């Protein structure tokens, strides 16, 4: 079992400290044995975690910065909101990250949900059904741009006269879709994703979601084994290490290969938290699965 570190803890205070703290967080995660470092794709801090006025850095700029600070760990947003960037720009941004990181990027993608920041910054926030249509077209466009086909794309929401993407990625970025919706999200996972990131935290619930995903795979003719299963297990493992590892073992039996963890906003020492993950959690995770 692998660990991904999800970092959303941009501490209030001196803006000049944000870059060094982010660098230390990613380097500590890499040195501790984490295989994935992710940021959230938001422009305001999520209200469930802190005031919207708290610092929050733009995701792809930050990942590009971290590409020059790290050497091994994969880099991604968990996950990109489909409404925030036109698909051609998104494919180009992820490609640039991949090239500059020497093949360490991934495309995490979801239908977006944070209505406040859409309204605040002037992003259109269409109904959820339209956002899922946009999500599927974006997946198709990115895959076309990462192929030999540089011709047009004509969809309901996006029309591209050309899909040139040069340079091509060093490694075609794996597509990670986040979410657990049984009708739309898991169908898109079955059809397009290399990685599925679930937010379900109970093994019995995850088992049910996997059964739904497998049925969608049958419908589209996909081998479920081709899809890597990951889980956002965003609890503090140090509150109950034995319980935490018991849950992870149950996930491993269901085929999960990576769990995400990270310091929550308000932690006065987020880098120390990540260092502790490397010391106390990652070695035990490596023995599971």
């Amino acid at each position: 079992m692998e660990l991904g570190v999800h970092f959303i803890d941009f501490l209030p205070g001196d803006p000049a400290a944000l870059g060094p703290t982010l660098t230390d967080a990613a380097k500590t995660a890499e040195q501790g044995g984490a295989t994935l470092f992710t940021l959230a794709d938001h422009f305001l801090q999520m209200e469930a975690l802190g005031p919207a006025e708290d610092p929050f850095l733009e995701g792809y700029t930050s990942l590009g910065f971290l590409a020059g600070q790290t050497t091994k760990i994969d880099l991604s947003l968990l996950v990109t909101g489909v409404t925030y960037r036109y698909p051609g720009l998104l494919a180009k941004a992820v490609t640039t990250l991949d090239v500059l990181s020497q093949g360490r990027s991934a495309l995490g993608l979801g239908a977006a949900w944070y209505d406040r920041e859409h309204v605040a910054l002037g992003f259109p926030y269409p109904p959820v059904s339209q956002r899922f249509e946009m999500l599927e077209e974006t997946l198709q466009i990115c895959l076309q741009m990462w192929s030999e086909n540089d011709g047009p794309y004509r969809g309901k929401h996006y029309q591209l006269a050309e899909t040139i993407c040069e340079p091509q990625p060093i490694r075609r970025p794996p597509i990670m879709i986040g979410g657990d919706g049984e009708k739309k999200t898991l169908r898109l996972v079955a059809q397009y994703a290399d990685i599925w990131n679930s937010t379900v935290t109970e093994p019995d619930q995850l088992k049910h979601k996997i059964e739904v995903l497998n049925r969608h795979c049958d419908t589209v003719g996909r081998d479920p084994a081709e899809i890597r299963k990951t889980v956002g297990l965003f609890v503090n493992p140090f509150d109950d290490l034995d319980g935490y590892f018991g849950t992870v073992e149950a996930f491993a039996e269901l085929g999960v290969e990576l769990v995400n963890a990270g310091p929550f906003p308000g932690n006065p020492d987020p880098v120390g938290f990540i260092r502790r993950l490397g010391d106390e959690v990652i070695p035990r995770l490596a023995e599971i699965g």
Side-chain angles (χ1 to χ4, degrees):
M1 180 72 73
E2 299 175 15
L3 184 80
V5 171
H6 188 53
F7 192 83
I8 53 175
D9 198 18
F10 303 113
L11 295 174
D14 182 4
L18 295 177
T21 300
L22 182 60
T23 298
D24 289 346
K27 287 184 174 180
T28 301
E30 183 174 70
Q31 292 164 2
T35 57
L36 176 67
F37 191 88
T38 58
L39 303 172
D41 192 23
H42 291 295
F43 309 113
L44 310 178
Q45 178 59 274
M46 293 162 279
E47 294 169 278
L49 300 176
E53 293 80 7
D54 276 0
F56 214 94
L57 299 178
E58 194 280 321
Y60 281 109
T61 308
S62 300
L63 291 178
F65 169 73
L66 292 177
Q69 309 293 324
T70 56
T71 59
K72 297 183 298 183
I73 199 166
D74 285 347
L75 303 168
S76 180
L77 295 186
L78 188 68
V79 291
T80 297
V82 73
T83 51
Y84 295 136
R85 299 165 190 83
Y86 280 101
L89 172 61
L90 176 61
K92 192 67 177 179
V94 177
T95 299
T96 300
L97 176 63
D98 190 80
V99 170
L100 296 181
S101 68
Q102 295 295 298
R104 293 186 286 126
S105 75
L107 170 61
L109 198 60
W113 60 270
Y114 196 0
D115 53 347
R116 178 176 177 175
E117 68 185 358
H118 285 78
V119 175
L121 299 183
F123 289 94
Y125 190 62
V128 64
S129 59
Q130 181 176 329
R131 299 202 306 275
F132 272 98
E133 292 173 351
M134 294 163 63
L135 175 58
E136 183 159 18
E137 290 190 14
T138 297
L139 290 164
Q140 293 170 352
I141 290 167
C142 288
L143 287 171
Q144 182 168 324
M145 290 185 69
W146 295 332
S147 74
E148 296 181 355
N149 179 4
D150 60 4
Y153 175 91
R154 296 184 178 89
K156 178 179 178 181
H157 301 285
Y158 303 110
Q159 295 80 41
L160 285 71
E162 299 177 276
T163 51
I164 297 170
C165 186
E166 290 296 338
Q168 284 284 296
I170 293 173
R171 175 191 70 169
R172 199 274 278 167
I175 292 172
M176 172 172 55
I177 295 177
D180 299 283
E182 297 184 6
K183 293 183 179 180
K184 294 182 178 180
T185 301
L186 292 181
R187 194 270 297 174
L188 293 174
V189 171
Q191 190 161 353
Y192 298 101
D194 304 293
I195 306 167
W196 168 44
N197 188 71
S198 173
T199 56
V200 169
T201 58
E202 296 294 330
D204 288 344
Q205 295 177 5
L206 184 63
K207 182 176 184 292
H208 168 71
K209 297 294 184 181
I210 291 172
E211 291 169 350
V212 174
L213 175 60
N214 290 345
R215 290 197 292 271
H216 282 298
C217 286
D218 288 342
T219 299
V220 300
R222 180 92 182 272
D223 181 356
E226 295 176 0
I227 302 169
R228 191 177 194 220
K229 300 178 182 67
T230 67
V231 172
L233 188 58
F234 296 119
V235 298
N236 186 342
F238 306 113
D239 289 341
D240 178 10
L241 277 172
D242 290 338
Y244 178 82
F245 287 116
T247 299
V248 171
E249 287 173 354
F251 285 161
E253 292 177 359
L254 295 171
V256 174
E257 299 179 31
L258 179 146
V259 291
N260 295 287
F264 282 96
N267 188 319
D269 184 16
V271 176
F273 182 92
I274 296 170
R275 184 174 296 109
R276 192 176 176 191
L277 289 174
D279 292 340
E280 301 179 39
V281 174
I282 291 176
R284 288 186 62 179
L285 287 179
E287 300 173 355
I288 297 174

